[in-house]
Amino acid sequence: MSTTTTDPTSAPAAALKLGEGAVVLDAEVGERGPWSGVVAAGDVLTIVDLHGNQAVDTLFYGVGPDGAISPSARYSAQATIAAQGNLFLTTGSVLRDQESRPLMTIVADEVGNHDSVGGACSQESNTLRYGHHTKHQHACVENFLIEGARHGLGKADLVGNVNFFMNVPVDADGSLGIVDGLSAPGKRLALRAETDTLVLISNCPQVNNPCNGFDPTAVRVIVTRKGRKR
């Protein structure tokens, strides 16, 4: 699957979507900012890396029949990695909750490698890694807390997250590195919801390592639904 040749910042959602059916949501997530939305079972979420080399930190929570967010049905990196026998995520990877129940499946991927172990930056980790002068910098944990509060989620509900488009190679000795991303302007991936799922995004604001090319940029999220007319 090749990257779209249209300008992803201005193209109609129908030209960018990787899921079948009508577009039911099209939103831009600004650089450094958060976003959240419930993706209904069967719907497909396409994430577009508008300018390339942008890390998209993402969490997932199951939604009950009554529409309530279920923190007990939250994404589990451990269950996801164990079930697929691979640290990295791509087409066919099933994102699972802590009981190994499927939340979402990656059904299309133009990058081919997404991180499951690098975690989210925080003001504390910035200080530890890059020095006390970075303490004031906004970070992904703060984005998750701000956006999660809209759904009744707090710090205790945060878990290890997925980092879409982020390149975190693992050396033979188990050490990790954050290096230049494999993405490019217009690259996309798509996730199909296996159950109603709250998707919580921090469009990573990190400027101290190459995960964003030291220049955070916007991304686009598009949700499509089968069986619905345009």
Side-chain angles (χ1 to χ4, degrees):
M1 185 178 295
S2 61
T3 306
T4 176
T5 57
T6 59
D7 180 353
T9 64
S10 59
L16 296 175
K17 66 177 185 173
L18 291 174
E20 297 180 14
V23 173
V24 295
L25 182 145
D26 177 19
E28 183 172 296
V29 187
E31 64 274 10
R32 306 170 185 258
W35 177 87
S36 63
V38 174
V39 182
D43 288 0
V44 173
L45 168 67
T46 300
I47 304 176
V48 186
D49 187 359
L50 293 177
H51 302 281
N53 206 19
Q54 174 62 30
V56 181
D57 292 36
T58 312
L59 287 171
F60 307 91
Y61 300 85
V63 179
D66 59 354
I69 308 303
S70 178
S72 63
R74 57 197 176 191
Y75 170 73
S76 169
Q78 296 89 336
T80 299
I81 292 166
Q84 71 170 11
N86 193 326
L87 285 175
F88 303 107
L89 305 174
T90 188
T91 304
S93 295
V94 180
L95 308 181
R96 299 176 181 272
D97 71 10
Q98 76 280 6
E99 299 297 331
S100 203
R101 296 169 295 206
L103 291 169
M104 304 192 87
T105 300
I106 300 177
V107 293
D109 178 16
E110 295 180 335
V111 176
N113 188 318
H114 304 271
D115 170 59
S116 66
V117 296
C121 59
S122 68
Q123 290 178 328
E124 292 81 5
S125 66
N126 280 343
T127 299
L128 180 64
R129 292 173 178 171
Y130 309 114
H132 286 284
H133 66 284
T134 66
K135 172 66 175 170
H136 71 284
Q137 293 176 355
H138 193 59
C140 283
V141 169
E142 285 68 46
N143 273 342
F144 283 145
L145 290 174
I146 290 167
E147 193 68 17
R150 298 180 55 237
H151 305 279
L153 300 172
K155 198 163 189 176
D157 301 311
L158 300 188
V159 292
N161 57 283
V162 173
N163 292 307
F164 290 121
F165 303 114
M166 193 162 103
N167 188 14
V168 183
V170 180
D171 294 337
D173 63 1
S175 60
L176 307 178
I178 298 175
V179 298
D180 287 337
L182 303 173
S183 187
K187 290 281 190 180
R188 302 166 291 175
L189 78 148
L191 304 105
R192 181 185 65 234
E194 307 301 343
T195 186
D196 292 354
T197 303
L198 171 68
V199 179
L200 188 61
I201 284 176
S202 169
N203 192 25
C204 186
Q206 184 59 259
V207 295
N208 300 292
N209 69 51
C211 71
N212 296 324
F214 304 100
D215 180 26
T217 53
V219 299
R220 192 167 170 182
V221 290
I222 299 165
V223 177
T224 51
R225 180 170 299 161
K226 276 186 174 182
R228 181 167 174 170
K229 294 184 182 295
R230 297 180 185 277

